[in-house]
Amino acid sequence: MAAEPRRTESGLPIEPVYGPETLAGFDAASRLGTPGQYPFTRGVYPTMYTGKPWTMRQYAGFGTAAESNARYKQLIANGTMGLSVAFDLPTQMGYDSDAAISHGEVGKVGVAVDSVEDMNVLFGGIPLGEVSTSMTINAPGSLLLLLYQLVGEAQGVPSNRLTGTIQNDVLKEYIARGTYIFPPKPSLRLIADVFQYCRAEIPKWNTISISGYHMAEAGANPAQEIAFTLANGIEYVRTAVAAGMDVDDFAPRLSFFFVSRTTLLEEVAKFRAARRIWARVMKEEFGAKNPKSQMLRFHTQTAGVQLTAQQPEVNLVRVSVQALAAVLGGTQSLHTNSFDEAIALPTEKSARLALRTQQVLAFETDITATVDPFAGSYVVEAMTDELEAAALELMAKVEDMGGAVAAIEQGYQKSEIERTAYRIQQEQDSGARTVVGVNRFQLAAEEPYEPLRVDPAIEAQQAERLARLRADRDSSAVDRSLTLLRKAAEGTDNVLYPMKEALAARATVGEVCDALRGVWGTYVPVDRF
């Protein structure tokens, strides 16, 4: 009896041998095209990395703004090409550090930012006109963008020179991550306001990073990751078009964010399939004429969920394979996880080693010498087609439910991801899925490791800073600006203009979010079970 074929992470069969018959009838001209041209299967730029490598953007942020500022300067000194900011949970949820709900979380998983004063410290001595900055912030993404703009203005940098990205993807928060604030409808309105504001005020800024990464970390397989991410992207485009924007006025600034796993072949195929699907959706459904509107440009992060606390140095190998998959798949920027992130925040040394991983790939290998080296590979082209078909089937189910928001409200994406995560955990527990150092090749005793620790005094320090801020600022100016913000939120005016005025008057992140909570309310998920 023939052995059961191996399967990909998406559950598709992997044949032991692929040959010409696998691609019978395959039309390379229409399925692949040439690099930098529709349907962008082979990459969004004609030369890809042959002229310059991807942007090496290391994700960092912890403790106080001053501590994170020091880490950013270390990364820049070691050759990183772009900054990527991690915020703590209170900031991500729109609460100040001295709020009761923030207790115990200040500065823990990212940097605490309560006001423009913290933002000035965070980027002190870093020329914003010369660096590109990505900020992993969603529900309050508009606030952090405006704070960044205010810091740029204080440095004398015109807003049309600022480059970077805010994640600003709230739909995946309802699906997989949970740092939402407002209900879906006002959240989408806020995102459309960001699109309009940036087109007028910060034209080089990427207004959203539509993220599959967090869904993958929650358990989504590659087909689910691209399907649910692209379905969310379609919802954002529809929202902006419904708000009166022309698709080619905002779509060139859309960006995406994916994970890269150790299953190298399937990951390469995933990235190629995602580009092809998005190009077709933008051209055929939305009538985008600008080729930049059809391009799926994306950032990649290596898979945090695949890191292990056991034998953590083995994570260096995992991250190298994952980074290689991202580069062979055509990413525009890349963050490589540090080997110790399954234990604690990265140390300076481990963060440097993560960056060095990218630098070895870029400057010591030949993978940057040619564009899309897997093009025409029997197995990769077959996997690309199969993943595309699987993702389109899932996207059709989302459409049948009424689109991404309607499917979210019915719990579809979340339940599908949870089922996949449960199956993977069962496979690990049974030993059917090997995890080196966890269920095979274990050590009798782990070597000691001293992790980076966040000073618990940070919470009190941030509270003191907030007390001084509120005592020193013009309270009447803050109150006036927050009133104007609430009025805009109640109507149809773009809320970013009064929001910027409030932040410039030194209103806090929590105060601005509370003003919007008072108008829009907060999202309370419905338990389907």
Side-chain angles (χ1 to χ4, degrees), residues 12 16 27 51 100 117 207 234-235 256 299 339 360-361 383 392 451 464 490 496 504 526:
L12 305 171
D27 181 10
E117 291 189 357
T207 53
I234 289 168
E235 193 81 37
F256 291 80
H299 170 71
F339 74 87
V360 168
L361 290 176
M383 281 187 170
L392 287 172
E464 291 171 6
E490 289 166 353
L496 268 74
V526 176

Side-chain angles (χ1 to χ4, degrees), residues 274-292:
R275 278 194 295 268
R276 194 155 68 200
I277 295 171
W278 186 249
R280 188 167 59 247
V281 165
M282 293 304 289
K283 183 178 182 179
E284 296 180 5
E285 179 173 343
F286 294 107
K289 298 179 176 60
N290 185 344
K292 291 184 178 179

Side-chain angles (χ1 to χ4, degrees), residues 1 19 40 45 48 118 124 156 197 205 214 239 248 288 317 337 386 417 425 464 491 493 497 527:
M1 188 172 69
F40 304 102
Y45 302 124
M48 288 303 289
D118 287 332
Y197 181 88
W205 197 266
H214 302 95
T239 297
D248 286 319
V317 182
N337 289 327
E386 291 165 358
I417 291 169
Q425 189 61 54
E464 291 171 6
D493 290 346
Y497 290 95
D527 189 352

Side-chain angles (χ1 to χ4, degrees), residues 177-479:
R177 196 159 170 271
T179 64
Y180 43 73
I181 299 176
F182 315 113
K185 186 174 180 180
S187 293
L188 288 172
R189 178 259 178 98
L190 183 55
I191 288 169
D193 282 357
V194 170
F195 289 0
Q196 292 172 326
Y197 181 88
C198 285
R199 182 170 185 263
E201 307 294 340
I202 319 177
K204 294 182 180 179
W205 197 266
N206 296 321
T207 53
I208 195 168
S209 178
I210 307 163
S211 303
Y213 179 87
H214 302 95
M215 289 187 275
E217 291 286 281
N221 64 40
Q224 292 169 332
E225 179 191 355
I226 59 173
F228 297 154
T229 303
L230 299 186
N232 287 348
I234 289 168
E235 193 81 37
Y236 293 130
V237 174
R238 288 174 177 163
T239 297
V241 170
M245 300 185 71
D246 184 272
V247 67
D248 286 319
D249 285 344
F250 67 88
R253 302 316 308 178
L254 303 180
S255 64
F256 291 80
F257 177 26
F258 294 113
V259 78
S260 188
R261 303 169 179 82
T262 52
T263 43
L264 186 147
L265 296 176
E266 186 178 15
E267 290 301 290
V268 171
K270 177 190 76 178
F271 297 131
R272 299 168 89 250
R275 278 194 295 268
R276 194 155 68 200
I277 295 171
W278 186 249
R280 188 167 59 247
V281 165
M282 293 304 289
K283 183 178 182 179
E284 296 180 5
E285 179 173 343
F286 294 107
K289 298 179 176 60
N290 185 344
K292 291 184 178 179
S293 300
Q294 303 164 2
M295 294 178 183
L296 184 143
R297 298 173 302 115
F298 65 95
H299 170 71
T300 309
Q301 182 171 337
T302 56
V305 73
Q306 292 187 320
L307 300 179
T308 64
Q310 298 90 337
Q311 302 180 45
E313 291 84 358
V314 177
N315 293 326
L316 288 165
V317 182
R318 293 187 178 101
V319 168
S320 298
V321 174
Q322 295 161 358
L324 182 60
V327 173
L328 292 172
T331 192
Q332 277 58 73
S333 62
L334 176 62
H335 163 85
T336 35
N337 289 327
S338 301
F339 74 87
D340 51 358
E341 287 191 54
I343 303 171
L345 291 167
T347 63
E348 180 183 346
K349 180 179 180 179
S350 65
R352 183 171 63 248
L353 282 170
L355 176 60
R356 294 289 183 256
T357 302
Q358 297 198 49
Q359 291 165 337
V360 168
L361 290 176
F363 303 115
E364 292 191 20
T365 76
D366 59 0
I367 60 173
T368 61
T370 187
V371 178
D372 190 24
F374 273 142
S377 158
Y378 299 132
V379 61
V380 169
E381 296 299 356
M383 281 187 170
T384 301
D385 286 353
E386 291 165 358
L387 264 172
E388 179 180 9
L392 287 172
E393 183 178 348
L394 290 168
M395 292 171 71
K397 290 181 180 178
V398 171
E399 283 295 296
D400 289 344
M401 293 180 179
V405 170
I408 287 167
E409 291 172 343
Q410 296 172 59
Y412 171 65
Q413 301 98 317
K414 188 172 185 291
S415 62
E416 288 294 300
I417 291 169
E418 287 171 349
R419 271 194 284 270
T420 301
Y422 181 64
R423 175 181 57 79
I424 291 170
Q425 189 61 54
Q426 284 183 311
E427 291 173 0
Q428 291 179 5
D429 293 345
S430 70
R433 176 185 293 260
T434 295
V435 182
V436 173
V438 176
N439 59 14
R440 288 186 72 187
F441 315 112
Q442 300 101 319
L443 293 177
E446 293 289 333
E447 297 176 3
Y449 173 78
E450 184 60 36
L452 177 71
R453 301 190 186 279
V454 175
D455 187 349
I458 286 172
E459 186 172 328
Q461 294 168 7
Q462 284 296 112
E464 291 171 6
R465 284 175 60 82
L466 281 165
R468 288 196 300 271
L469 172 83
R470 294 185 179 114
D472 294 343
R473 69 188 183 184
D474 184 344
S475 297
S476 60
V478 172
D479 291 342

